Amino acid sequence: MSKKLIVLLLSSLLFVGCSTKISYFFLDWAIEWEVEEYVDLTSEQQDKFDIIIESFLVWHRQQELPRYRDQLSLLSTLTNQQTMTPELWLKQVSMAKAHWSRIFDFVMPDLLPILASLSDEQVDQVLTQLKKEQKELIEEYAGKDKAELIIDSDKRIAKKLSEWTGDITDAQKDIIHQANTQRLATLDMWLEYRHEWLSQFEQAMKRRQQTDYFTQQMKLLMISPDELKSEVYRDNVTENTRKFGSMLIALNQTFSQKQRKHFDKKLAELVEDLTELHLDK
């Protein structure tokens, strides 16, 4: 539940089609709505959760938005100066993961007591929803061969790129396709990791009254989940991240003047939005 809330937050900042500022102002409502998909909180739990969200949004606006702004500004410089490298891209991804970790470091001390206070019926609600999502994921990917997975990935990346650059060329679609054909296979390992994560989350929730154990496990699951991944999986993910960076570099070198202008404008607007949100008291 908590992990998906942060995905919602990051998505609202980086990938929404409407104004970032509008999305951010409605973020508290969006989080509340998301939580309701997983569990019906009691009035007391809801009051405590509302306090956490209010405190979190103040902290996030004051402390974290400048970090996002600065990273995006750096990305803009690396892109426009054509100085991005696969290794620098890996560092950018590590920076993004650090954003994630700081969020959980901030909310977990107040969030864990609420999770520990859930009744057995509430825990069943959460687990039922998580298992439903896991089943849907397996069904989505079951039976798809490598060619079908590549086609799906081609479409996703092309759509996302077009949102930042406008219409993309056939040559750029070829770059995306070529990169996807070179990616190391991780689907089975990813699904196995998700299964293990859910299994350990379920065990942690069943032992939520054991404070030390519960705290340790939730930190593992929310802040250091890579520890649940096999070494091969971690290595493949790192290599695929490097390959993705190479693809972005190749695409950047093919941007037309119109695409560059579109990209720069969109990025500048996002940086401006983050700056104004940070300064808005």
Side-chain angles (χ1 to χ4, degrees):
M1 175 176 65
S2 305
K3 194 169 184 178
K4 189 170 181 178
L5 294 181
I6 306 306
V7 173
L8 174 68
L9 168 66
L10 298 180
S11 296
S12 70
L13 289 177
L14 299 179
F15 300 122
V16 291
C18 55
S19 166
T20 301
K21 288 186 287 187
I22 293 176
S23 300
Y24 201 86
F25 287 138
F26 283 96
L27 186 57
D28 55 346
W29 174 85
I31 291 175
E32 297 281 3
W33 177 81
E34 186 72 25
V35 169
E36 290 177 0
E37 283 195 16
Y38 289 86
V39 63
D40 297 321
L41 297 176
T42 66
S43 296
E44 182 179 358
Q45 290 167 339
Q46 186 66 58
D47 289 343
K48 291 179 180 179
F49 187 73
D50 289 343
I51 293 173
I52 293 176
I53 295 303
E54 182 178 355
S55 175
F56 163 72
L57 290 177
V58 171
W59 167 81
H60 191 264
R61 178 178 294 184
Q62 294 177 349
Q63 301 295 324
E64 292 300 291
L65 293 189
R67 298 178 188 269
Y68 300 170
R69 175 202 61 203
D70 293 345
Q71 183 172 4
L72 289 173
S73 296
L74 175 58
L75 280 169
S76 178
T77 299
L78 292 172
T79 299
N80 283 304
Q81 294 182 355
Q82 302 278 352
T83 52
M84 177 68 80
T85 66
E87 294 304 319
L88 286 176
W89 175 249
L90 281 174
K91 291 182 179 180
Q92 292 297 312
V93 173
S94 294
M95 289 173 65
K97 289 182 178 180
H99 298 328
W100 177 287
S101 295
R102 285 192 304 274
I103 288 173
F104 277 112
D105 282 337
F106 181 82
V107 302
M108 280 193 69
D110 294 322
L111 183 61
L112 287 183
I114 295 179
L115 292 177
S117 75
L118 296 180
S119 66
D120 290 345
E121 290 76 16
Q122 288 174 311
V123 170
D124 286 341
Q125 276 187 290
V126 174
L127 294 175
T128 296
Q129 180 63 22
L130 289 173
K131 290 176 181 179
K132 175 184 175 184
E133 293 173 356
Q134 178 75 353
K135 181 180 178 181
E136 289 172 349
L137 266 180
I138 294 174
E139 291 175 349
E140 177 183 355
Y141 290 104
K144 287 190 176 182
D145 58 24
K146 182 177 180 180
E148 290 174 306
L149 293 172
I150 289 174
I151 291 174
D152 289 346
S153 184
D154 287 350
K155 291 179 179 178
R156 285 195 301 270
I157 296 175
K159 180 180 179 181
K160 187 57 60 181
L161 179 62
S162 66
E163 291 175 5
W164 283 88
T165 65
D167 293 338
I168 63 176
T169 66
D170 289 340
Q172 288 165 342
K173 291 178 182 179
D174 287 341
I175 290 174
I176 293 171
H177 179 71
Q178 184 64 26
N180 279 328
T181 60
Q182 295 175 354
R183 291 181 74 254
L184 302 177
T186 58
L187 176 59
D188 289 344
M189 289 182 282
W190 175 60
L191 291 174
E192 177 60 30
Y193 154 72
R194 287 184 59 90
H195 175 78
E196 179 63 22
W197 188 95
L198 180 55
S199 175
Q200 294 212 22
F201 179 79
E202 181 174 5
Q203 291 303 312
M205 292 305 298
K206 288 181 177 179
R207 297 172 59 183
R208 59 193 179 280
Q209 302 304 325
Q210 301 174 25
T211 303
D212 290 343
Y213 167 82
F214 185 58
T215 300
Q216 180 181 355
Q217 284 300 102
M218 294 305 289
K219 285 183 177 180
L220 168 67
L221 295 170
M222 299 301 180
I223 299 177
S224 306
D226 283 354
E227 294 183 21
L228 300 179
K229 300 174 182 177
S230 68
E231 184 176 356
V232 173
Y233 182 27
R234 292 197 301 269
D235 289 345
N236 282 7
V237 169
T238 298
E239 182 59 26
N240 282 341
T241 302
R242 186 180 287 108
K243 290 178 181 293
F244 190 86
S246 297
M247 179 195 71
L248 293 179
I249 293 168
L251 288 170
N252 183 43
Q253 293 171 347
T254 68
F255 283 178
S256 66
Q257 185 176 2
K258 182 179 180 180
Q259 287 176 316
R260 180 78 58 195
K261 183 177 180 180
H262 192 291
F263 177 84
D264 288 344
K265 179 181 179 181
K266 190 173 181 69
L267 191 56
E269 288 174 348
L270 182 52
V271 170
E272 181 180 359
D273 282 350
L274 294 176
T275 301
E276 291 181 0
L277 281 167
H278 166 62
L279 296 176
D280 186 2
K281 304 302 182 182

